[in-house]
Amino acid sequence: MAEQEYFRQALANFTFETASGGAIRHLADHGYTVDEISKKLDFPTPMDRIRNTVWKHFLDKGILLLDEPGTGAKQEAYDFVAEYDSWGRKSFRRVTVQGFGGEPIQWKETVFREERDGSLLSYLSGRCGREGQKISAYVSCDFGLRSRREPERYLQALKVLEKSEQDYILGLPWERRVVYHRLDQRMCRIVAGLYKNSEYQGWCYLIEEKEKVRIEPDHPHILNGRCCI
């Protein structure tokens, strides 16, 4: 019975991979949001399946980390691959996909100050990694916590962002924990936009500098009546 279920799941995964999996990852790599991806697929695919595929892909690529950067922790994920014997018969094998962990880092902690460092958008933009380059920075994200603790206030907070930025955040299945997102241009705009409206408080991890930068409003104890990460 267990073997039949394993094969049934493997077959379902292979069918999904053939129909939509590769296209979803390709579009996600090119910056499309989950909503945009769903409209471009040739085969109808449940929105939750798209969300989870993008999330897993970002974990595998190191765009997202579940552990704080610099801990050296590795993330493992599993997938099914099809194999054919000399007679053309198909079988499935489960393989481990190794995610990004990075080397252990002894962080030097500092605090961002606008009067010294300039605008947060300019500060972060100068530290963004470009496509194809080595990952240079991460920012902490508590979207999964805030969306569950205060869903209405969370949605209201996101309204300060551009529509495409809101769609990006809302399209991902954030876990109920602090997650770490690679600092790219989109995340620069998201973090800076939220911070400008006292809706972001967290950390920026500068990998090459081995610097952990605290980002908080002028009055961190008053952030819409709550404390953040």
Side-chain angles (χ1 to χ4, degrees), residues 110-208:
T110 60
V111 179
F112 170 79
R113 290 286 180 260
E114 280 191 308
E115 64 273 15
R116 179 192 65 209
D117 302 315
S119 73
L120 182 60
L121 180 59
S122 176
Y123 179 83
L124 294 178
S125 294
R127 290 155 177 81
C128 279
R130 300 300 191 272
E131 185 64 31
Q133 292 182 347
K134 184 178 180 181
I135 293 176
S136 58
Y138 283 91
V139 287
S140 61
C141 302
D142 67 344
F143 302 120
L145 293 170
R146 295 178 63 182
S147 64
R148 291 169 175 82
R149 290 173 178 170
E150 300 173 298
E152 292 184 6
R153 181 174 289 179
Y154 166 72
L155 293 176
Q156 186 64 33
L158 293 183
K159 289 183 179 180
V160 304
L161 302 175
E162 296 293 331
K163 179 64 164 56
S164 62
E165 296 162 0
Q166 294 180 45
D167 289 346
Y168 179 72
I169 297 299
L170 294 173
L172 293 175
W174 300 94
E175 297 187 16
R176 193 167 188 166
R177 58 189 292 179
V178 176
V179 178
Y180 306 89
H181 194 295
R182 179 182 179 176
L183 185 63
D184 53 22
Q185 290 292 338
R186 176 160 51 193
M187 285 306 297
C188 283
R189 295 192 301 271
I190 289 172
V191 170
L194 293 173
Y195 171 83
K196 184 178 180 180
N197 292 273
S198 298
E199 292 292 352
Y200 180 84
Q201 181 170 307
W203 294 91
C204 177
Y205 299 80
L206 307 178
I207 306 300
E208 293 184 4

